[in-house]
Amino acid sequence: SALPSFVAPTTHRDRRLSAAGEQDTRMEDDFNLRDELLAACALLGRRTVTGEYVKGEECLESLKDLQQFLHRDDPSGDIDQPESFDESGHRVQKKLPWGLHRALADWNILKNHILPLLEFHGDDPEVLYECMVVMYLMTQLPPKPVFLLDDEKGVKAHKTKLYGAAIVPSFEGLAMMKEQMAVASHVLTVMMKWLMEPLQHQGDERTEAETVILDLSLNLIRNLLQLTPPIETGVALPASLKARLFGAQDAMVQKFADENVLDLLVLLAQNIEEDENRNWNLLLLDIFTLLFVKEDPAEVIGSA
């Protein structure tokens, strides 16, 4: 069957806003995107008193809405703009760079909604696919600044400052998501089960939909393994955040080993010359680089 659309138009806005009520009236920007984002999250589902997660009637529509919001997120914001005031003389809150990604991390949406959806409703292929797309987008880092040859030193410094304002909170959120993935129950089991059928098909037997599933999963794995901003950006993370990322990385790689994710990566690498796998050669190289980037080569060889 055809995969669900990657981004769906918002069609349930009024009902979502009504459901969300006044949970967070403090968070506003020019387009009330954070309020609408919170409203979409409110309709994903809820925990019961027994600990089970019940998906909402508009769960699929809300997952697609989250994707739309994340695609629309602004990597720069307006923190570099002069202060402005509304008609009442109140200071207008500035839009934070990558603010919608930051909001989902602040609201703990991965732990409270997305991972429970996968755990309790991962047998629903539409819910599984849409959750995977949301996780992929949530773990995306803001785009690198574009430095032009004729940029003056001050312009480059300004671009680096804006990028740093977005990238550091992004890695704070990513560290938290690594930690949550490392302790999540059954989630990687559900994902691996989802991947088994596409992996069993070779050549023309593998459908376009199955290729999309594998591509999405590999890109999500790559996103989860990111550790530092690109060197060329000149942005450094605080030492405490680096330590947290490294600790979370170790826990998540161990989880990958326990759930046979590493075996999957090795299998794909061994068969990279097959036509159906060849397009992932650079992506797999990225993944293995991230897996080994902080390891001592001598220790890796010695443990083989």
Side-chain angles (χ1 to χ4, degrees):
S1 61
L3 289 170
S5 58
F6 197 78
V7 179
T10 301
T11 57
H12 302 264
R13 179 172 304 168
D14 294 339
R15 292 164 66 186
R16 290 202 320 271
L17 289 175
S18 176
E22 297 180 357
Q23 292 183 52
D24 196 346
T25 57
R26 297 174 292 103
M27 296 182 180
E28 296 181 4
D29 59 28
D30 292 343
F31 305 100
N32 295 316
L33 288 180
R34 286 171 68 97
D35 286 335
E36 294 187 22
L37 182 64
L38 182 63
C41 295
L43 293 187
L44 289 172
R46 61 181 178 82
R47 285 276 190 183
T48 66
V49 292
T50 60
E52 295 182 354
Y53 189 90
V54 179
K55 66 178 180 179
E57 293 182 2
E58 299 181 19
C59 177
L60 281 175
E61 289 80 3
S62 295
L63 286 169
K64 294 173 184 178
D65 285 344
L66 293 189
Q67 297 166 25
Q68 186 183 61
F69 284 122
L70 292 173
H71 276 294
R72 295 167 61 187
D73 206 2
D74 183 354
S76 301
D78 58 7
I79 59 173
D80 60 331
Q81 299 300 314
E83 296 284 356
S84 59
F85 299 86
D86 60 22
E87 295 178 355
S88 302
H90 298 113
R91 181 181 287 108
V92 175
Q93 182 177 345
K94 292 187 175 183
K95 185 191 296 184
L96 297 174
W98 224 228
L100 301 182
H101 285 75
R102 188 181 308 194
L104 291 181
D106 290 344
W107 299 335
N108 229 349
I109 296 303
L110 183 71
K111 179 181 179 181
N112 292 338
H113 293 283
I114 305 301
L115 294 180
L117 275 170
L118 288 172
E119 180 180 353
F120 289 96
H121 303 282
D123 56 345
D124 183 327
E126 287 189 306
V127 170
L128 176 55
Y129 175 76
E130 299 299 347
C131 282
M132 290 285 288
V133 174
V134 169
M135 290 173 63
Y136 163 72
L137 292 173
M138 285 181 66
T139 54
Q140 281 281 81
L141 298 176
K144 295 184 293 184
V146 177
F147 297 114
L148 304 178
L149 291 176
D150 57 351
D151 278 348
E152 296 181 357
K153 185 176 180 179
V155 173
K156 290 183 178 179
H158 180 67
K159 289 180 178 180
T160 301
K161 177 182 177 182
L162 290 179
Y163 179 70
I167 199 68
V168 173
S170 294
F171 270 105
E172 291 172 347
L174 184 60
M176 182 175 66
M177 287 185 275
K178 288 173 185 276
E179 293 163 349
Q180 293 169 351
M181 283 290 295
V183 298
S185 300
H186 310 302
V187 170
L188 285 178
T189 303
V190 170
M191 290 170 53
M192 289 298 293
K193 182 179 178 182
W194 189 45
L195 294 174
M196 285 301 100
E197 187 171 351
L199 288 171
Q200 292 172 1
H201 295 161
Q202 299 179 351
D204 295 337
E205 293 180 356
R206 185 178 295 170
T207 66
E208 183 179 352
E210 290 173 338
T211 300
V212 170
I213 287 172
L214 285 166
D215 188 66
L216 173 60
S217 301
L218 290 173
N219 275 281
L220 173 59
I221 291 170
R222 189 269 314 277
N223 283 0
L224 285 167
L225 290 171
Q226 296 171 109
L227 275 173
T228 58
I231 295 176
E232 65 269 21
T233 64
V235 175
L237 299 178
S240 59
L241 178 54
K242 281 185 180 180
R244 183 183 179 188
L245 282 163
F246 281 16
Q249 185 91 331
D250 288 341
M252 196 177 62
V253 171
Q254 182 61 56
K255 186 76 168 181
F256 281 176
D258 295 341
E259 298 289 349
N260 299 318
V261 176
L262 299 184
D263 291 338
L264 163 68
L265 297 173
V266 171
L267 175 64
L268 285 172
Q270 289 174 338
N271 294 282
I272 198 62
E273 292 300 321
E274 302 294 335
D275 289 341
E276 64 270 21
N277 298 331
R278 194 169 297 167
N279 288 338
W280 296 317
N281 56 358
L282 293 180
L283 180 55
L284 284 169
L285 181 61
D286 279 348
I287 290 172
F288 281 109
T289 299
L290 291 167
L291 282 169
F292 294 115
V293 68
K294 69 183 190 69
E295 305 298 333
D296 186 308
E299 291 183 4
V300 172
I301 295 174
S303 63

